[in-house]
Amino acid sequence: DSGSVTASPRQQDTEYLCPVQIGSPAQTLPLDFDTGSSDLWVFSTDTPRSEVNGQTVYDASSSSSAKRLSGATWKISYGDGSSSSGIVYLDTVTVGGLTVSRQAVEAAKQVSSSFSRDTSSSGLLGLAFSSINTVSPNQQKTFFDNAMPHLDAPLFTADLKHNADGRYNFGYIDKSAYTGSISYTPVDNSQGFWGFTATVDGTDVTGIADTGTTLIYLPDSIVTSYYSQVSGARYDSSNAGYIFPCGSSMPDFSFNVGGGGGGGGTVTVPGSYVNFAPTDQTGQTCFGGLQSDSSIGISIFGDIALKAAFVVFDGGNKQLGWAAK
Ligand SMILES: Cc1ccc(-c2noc([C@H]3C[C@@H](O)CN3)n2)cc1F
């Protein structure tokens, strides 16, 4: 089996949403595919009306294939402090033509305000490792884990784009989607994430590939060194990050992966991607797409990095492949 689904950017690439079919007859919800978490959760008819703000909701009672997972609950919080929790159904889930029957669909009974405010997203589809799925008492598998045994190849690829529709493919590598060769590097999934080591200016950086995080967060030394090349750039505590004049032409930002025998490969993030967004309506000052990881405790290669590459999440061989495009 295989699947292929469009990933549409929202609000200047802050997130990417994909249409997912749930239940019988199919209910299509736009979900945020997140390689940094492992719960598939949705706004539902169980979500308080006061917390629903235009989102499409899942109604298990109108799906003939839905079965309540008796006694199961879930509760999750994300890197930005947002959170959600609820109950669990098993139902049929289809992504880009790839179907998993009896997928744990986690219906929200509570969502935090940032999810309520995010009117275009009906929830998340986790693509990290099932070891960090939050369903209790019996942990559930991710869509990818459930699909893997049926896939032509035990992998999925992420091809996110700047201000344009990209694609997630499951079970195959589309050779027309990248240029040159794919450089592979081992994955450390001991924390449940797609962890890997890259080299930036000769310094090894261990981080995670996280499609659910908008920006890149790296060690202070690397970030300070990058912005030292931009006149007027400074760390601004009120914005809690590096800012600079919006007219600045930003240097490209490169990192190497798979530095083994074959010399590995280089991913180059165009400077224009690092000029992320204005800090206010005047458009004078802009916020950087590369920020320090010192308040997080882990380095994150988020969408700013991922959209500069074609990325293979290889669950069979536990490796990450990176290619230019
Ligand atoms: C409103 C909202 C808030 C957060 C997130 C969110 N999704 O994935 C992630 C990152 C951080 C880490 O937790 C796992 N991946 N963050 C999505 C939202 F729609």
Side-chain angles (χ1 to χ4, degrees):
D1 295 7
S2 65
S4 181
V5 69
T6 301
S8 302
R10 287 285 174 280
Q11 298 120 336
Q12 290 160 313
D13 301 354
T14 52
E15 64 181 12
Y16 292 81
L17 299 176
C18 306
V20 175
Q21 283 70 45
I22 307 176
S24 320
Q27 301 175 42
T28 298
L29 279 67
L31 301 186
D32 179 356
F33 283 23
D34 176 21
T35 60
S37 67
S38 304
D39 286 48
L40 193 172
W41 74 262
V42 292
F43 277 74
S44 74
T45 46
D46 299 301
T47 314
R49 293 307 87 200
S50 61
E51 295 177 4
V52 181
N53 184 15
Q55 292 86 353
T56 302
V57 303
Y58 169 61
D59 179 3
S61 68
S62 62
S63 169
S64 59
S65 43
K67 306 239 177 324
R68 177 78 183 268
L69 188 59
S70 171
T73 58
W74 59 280
K75 182 171 180 47
I76 196 165
S77 57
Y78 296 95
D80 69 345
S82 61
S83 63
S84 53
S85 62
I87 56 176
V88 186
Y89 296 89
L90 297 181
D91 207 345
T92 303
V93 173
T94 298
V95 173
L98 172 65
T99 296
V100 168
S101 52
R102 288 193 302 285
Q103 170 65 43
V105 178
E106 303 171 30
K109 287 182 74 82
Q110 178 272 328
V111 300
S112 63
S113 53
S114 52
F115 285 112
S116 295
R117 281 195 299 271
D118 187 352
T119 57
S120 42
S121 169
S122 289
L124 269 71
L125 188 144
L127 292 170
F129 291 82
S130 298
S131 57
I132 55 172
N133 172 266
T134 75
V135 175
S136 170
N138 304 314
Q139 194 171 55
Q140 299 296 305
K141 288 185 176 182
T142 66
F143 173 81
F144 175 53
D145 246 356
N146 283 323
M148 205 166 7
H150 310 284
L151 292 177
D152 300 335
L155 58 85
F156 65 91
T157 64
D159 179 13
L160 302 179
K161 294 183 189 286
H162 171 56
N163 262 348
D165 283 355
R167 188 157 288 278
Y168 286 96
N169 293 332
F170 292 82
Y172 69 102
I173 291 174
D174 176 358
K175 285 189 168 311
S176 70
Y178 64 91
T179 60
S181 60
I182 301 175
S183 295
Y184 287 93
T185 193
V187 162
D188 166 13
N189 68 343
S190 58
Q191 307 298 311
F193 301 122
W194 292 90
F196 71 104
T197 298
T199 310
V200 180
D201 307 332
T203 306
D204 277 2
V205 175
T206 296
I208 67 169
D210 184 356
T211 57
T213 288
T214 306
L215 308 183
I216 302 173
Y217 297 90
L218 297 180
D220 230 35
S221 54
I222 289 170
V223 177
T224 306
S225 158
Y226 174 83
Y227 287 110
S228 69
Q229 307 168 91
V230 179
S231 62
R234 63 184 175 84
Y235 181 85
D236 177 72
S237 47
S238 57
N239 281 287
Y242 281 86
I243 61 175
F244 45 81
C246 288
S248 311
S249 76
M250 309 300 287
D252 293 348
F253 172 75
S254 295
F255 58 95
N256 287 287
V257 286
T266 302
V267 175
T268 297
V269 178
S272 59
Y273 290 9
V274 185
N275 190 336
F276 178 65
T279 59
D280 60 28
Q281 293 79 345
T282 70
Q284 297 290 312
T285 307
C286 277
F287 193 76
L290 173 62
Q291 296 293 344
S292 169
D293 66 8
S294 47
S295 67
I296 302 177
I298 185 172
S299 296
I300 302 178
F301 292 81
D303 297 332
I304 299 271
L306 298 169
K307 67 190 182 187
F310 176 83
V311 189
V312 182
F313 292 77
D314 185 335
N317 303 303
K318 279 187 36 213
Q319 57 181 4
L320 271 175
W322 297 79
K325 60 189 183 191

